[in-house]
Amino acid sequence: LDAENWGCLVVHDGIGAHRVRDLCESVRGARPDVPIVIAIESGATKLATDVAVAGACAPLFDPDPETLRTVVADRLDRYVRRRTNAEESEILTAMLDGLETPLYAKDTEARHVLLADVRGGLDPEAALGKTDLDIYLDEAPEFARQAYEDDTTVLETETPVLNRDESHGPEGSEHWSRTTKVPWYGSDGQLKGLVGIS
């Protein structure tokens, strides 16, 4: 259980029902995300229920070697993907929280879904679910319209806006920004929104 270089536990009920249950509980306590595959003799329904309660994946009744290999490969693949996604999420969070760079992502309706927490910038919690029109219209109407137009252009044409210089705010105390917005696609190739930096 202390080793870090394993990603699936395979147990056969030949070691005894009590030991199988104890092992499942020990693994769940130490490594709650690791899949546990149990090979059980047909008819051992009580043990199947017990190990499911203890955190095992659905038990395999009298699996042939190929079925066992396929199930284990599938569970390992899912485990690796979950770990990779979690690590990538931690990296993204570190970038958004630590770099002081105004990065953001918006959905296909141009609403903020993710936003870096930048000193003096928008409050990420308050901006979620809002478009630039919702956020800036009262304070800087021309900027709000231009920013929203850029968003809709990127989303409708799937063409980036690159290094656009913009100003907003009252004359004499304008804020200048250089903005890049590019389409954001999911793993299936479908447009999910846009990502940008200002």
Side-chain angles (χ1 to χ4, degrees), residues 102-116 122 127-136 143-152 154-155 166 179-186 190-198:
L103 299 165
Y104 50 85
K106 299 177 182 178
D107 64 15
T108 55
E109 302 297 316
R111 298 173 298 216
H112 287 88
V113 293
L114 192 62
L115 183 65
L122 292 175
L128 290 181
K130 295 180 182 172
T131 67
D132 286 342
L133 278 176
D134 298 327
I135 295 168
Y136 297 111
F143 171 77
R145 281 190 278 281
Q146 181 62 57
Y148 184 72
E149 272 181 38
D150 288 348
D151 290 349
T152 56
V154 170
L155 294 167
E166 304 167 309
T179 299
T180 292
K181 300 175 183 182
V182 299
W184 159 35
Y185 299 97
Q190 297 297 310
L191 182 70
K192 295 195 73 172
L194 65 85
V195 293
I197 182 171
S198 294

Side-chain angles (χ1 to χ4, degrees), residues 21-134:
R21 283 190 294 272
D22 289 348
L23 187 57
C24 288
E25 290 171 359
S26 295
V27 169
R28 275 295 156 258
R31 302 275 302 273
D33 57 336
V34 170
I36 304 170
V37 176
I38 307 292
I40 297 178
E41 289 183 16
S42 292
T45 53
K46 169 133 177 44
L47 178 59
T49 302
D50 290 350
V51 296
V53 169
C57 305
L60 300 174
F61 292 100
D62 296 323
D64 61 81
E66 187 56 35
T67 300
L68 186 58
R69 271 193 292 278
T70 301
V71 169
V72 170
D74 175 66
R75 299 299 176 168
L76 276 169
D77 183 54
R78 290 185 201 183
Y79 173 72
V80 168
R81 274 187 279 139
R82 275 196 317 270
R83 297 271 310 237
T84 301
N85 290 344
E87 188 172 295
E88 288 172 355
S89 179
E90 289 172 0
I91 292 168
L92 178 60
T93 300
M95 290 170 61
L96 291 174
D97 291 347
L99 291 180
E100 285 289 319
T101 303
L103 299 165
Y104 50 85
K106 299 177 182 178
D107 64 15
T108 55
E109 302 297 316
R111 298 173 298 216
H112 287 88
V113 293
L114 192 62
L115 183 65
D117 191 4
V118 177
R119 187 180 28 219
L122 292 175
D123 173 6
E125 295 290 321
L128 290 181
K130 295 180 182 172
T131 67
D132 286 342
L133 278 176
D134 298 327

Side-chain angles (χ1 to χ4, degrees), residues 139-196:
E139 170 193 325
E142 188 56 38
F143 171 77
R145 281 190 278 281
Q146 181 62 57
Y148 184 72
E149 272 181 38
D150 288 348
D151 290 349
T152 56
T153 298
V154 170
L155 294 167
E156 290 170 3
T157 67
E158 299 184 32
T159 304
V161 169
L162 302 172
N163 296 321
R164 172 172 298 188
D165 291 328
E166 304 167 309
S167 71
H168 63 93
E171 193 171 327
S173 63
E174 301 101 327
H175 298 278
W176 283 89
S177 64
R178 174 166 289 163
T179 299
T180 292
K181 300 175 183 182
V182 299
W184 159 35
Y185 299 97
S187 59
D188 58 0
Q190 297 297 310
L191 182 70
K192 295 195 73 172
L194 65 85
V195 293

